[in-house]
Amino acid sequence: MTALANESAPEATGPYSDLDEALWLAWQAAVEKLPEGFRAEIIEGSIEVSPTGRYSHGRTANDLRDALVLFLAGSDYAARQDMNVIDGRKVLIPDVFVIPRDAPEHVSEDGIGIRASAVAMVVEVVSPGRDNVSRDRVRKRRAYARAGIPVYLLIDDHDELGMVTLLTAPNPDQAVYDDEVRVPYGTTVTIPEGPAKGFTIGEEITGPGRAG
């Protein structure tokens, strides 16, 4: 993972600071030149470039999306992947997320992605490596809370022996989630609100609990 950042941001002259606008333009130029298998996000004042996940990462994300597709069938919501979530001049690419099924009014004006205000739930499957772990557990946690996304779910092979963390009640001003539930692999956790309310994550997604 690489990042471009400037820690001393100039004061804003409009809706966004000069740094925000510079990062936005740099991101647009970067995504056009990225080799296949890489993606770029703008997270907390940095452009972060990372490879797509390993097989196990992709299998878990796709298994969860497949289950969400069935759960949401017939509703006004859908599970999506490989799309940009836009929050002002920030760009986030969740592994899986839930948005209105027919959402043209929520697409950003430039067509780059879906506005974060339309996103009901995001999921990240944590990849190995210190930067990857920190991005999903810390930086994206703050970014999703700051964007006011109601539900953030982490599936984390690298937290103890495998943990699922469910975060709700975002506090955008503090960039935190006020409610947190953590369960080990092999234990079922249920989404408590939103269009995916009642959807469960258990062994069929994470695999069984792991012996210490």
Side-chain angles (χ1 to χ4, degrees):
M1 184 275 294
T2 60
L4 296 172
N6 183 342
E7 295 181 356
S8 56
E11 293 184 2
T13 57
Y16 308 109
S17 71
D18 290 346
L19 174 60
D20 286 336
E21 293 292 357
L23 286 169
W24 182 255
L25 293 173
W27 175 83
Q28 289 178 310
V31 294
E32 294 180 358
K33 299 178 181 179
L34 282 177
E36 185 176 354
F38 286 82
R39 63 184 186 179
E41 301 170 277
I42 303 177
I43 307 172
E44 296 196 328
S46 297
I47 298 175
E48 300 197 16
V49 179
S50 57
T52 53
R54 301 180 180 187
Y55 170 79
S56 60
H57 174 281
R59 181 190 62 196
T60 299
N62 280 282
D63 284 350
L64 188 140
R65 180 179 179 271
D66 290 346
L68 273 171
V69 166
L70 293 175
F71 184 87
L72 295 170
S75 78
D76 293 331
Y77 286 82
R80 303 298 191 204
Q81 289 178 306
D82 300 323
M83 293 169 59
N84 300 317
V85 171
I86 307 298
D87 179 33
R89 285 294 187 252
K90 306 297 187 291
V91 182
L92 302 158
I93 307 175
D95 288 324
V96 181
F97 58 105
V98 175
I99 58 172
R101 187 176 302 277
D102 186 19
E105 70 274 23
H106 300 298
V107 176
S108 60
E109 292 180 3
D110 48 22
I112 285 178
I114 191 84
R115 293 189 182 93
S117 58
V119 178
M121 171 177 161
V122 290
V123 181
E124 297 289 357
V125 179
V126 181
S127 295
R130 184 176 61 183
D131 286 334
N132 295 323
V133 167
S134 175
R135 180 173 60 249
D136 290 342
R137 291 185 195 167
V138 180
R139 298 192 298 279
K140 278 197 166 183
R141 177 172 177 156
R142 289 194 296 248
Y144 289 139
R146 192 176 289 116
I149 293 174
V151 178
Y152 179 24
L153 180 73
L154 290 99
I155 299 175
D156 195 342
D157 277 0
H158 316 287
D159 186 354
E160 298 183 14
L161 297 177
M163 299 288 292
V164 177
T165 301
L166 176 64
L167 300 162
T168 55
N171 183 334
D173 291 338
Q174 299 296 320
V176 298
Y177 282 93
D178 289 334
D179 293 337
E180 175 178 337
V181 174
R182 280 165 46 85
V183 300
Y185 284 8
T187 303
T188 297
V189 64
T190 303
I191 304 300
E193 62 181 82
K197 180 178 180 179
F199 178 77
T200 59
I201 301 93
E203 289 189 15
E204 73 284 356
I205 301 296
T206 66
R210 301 172 180 175

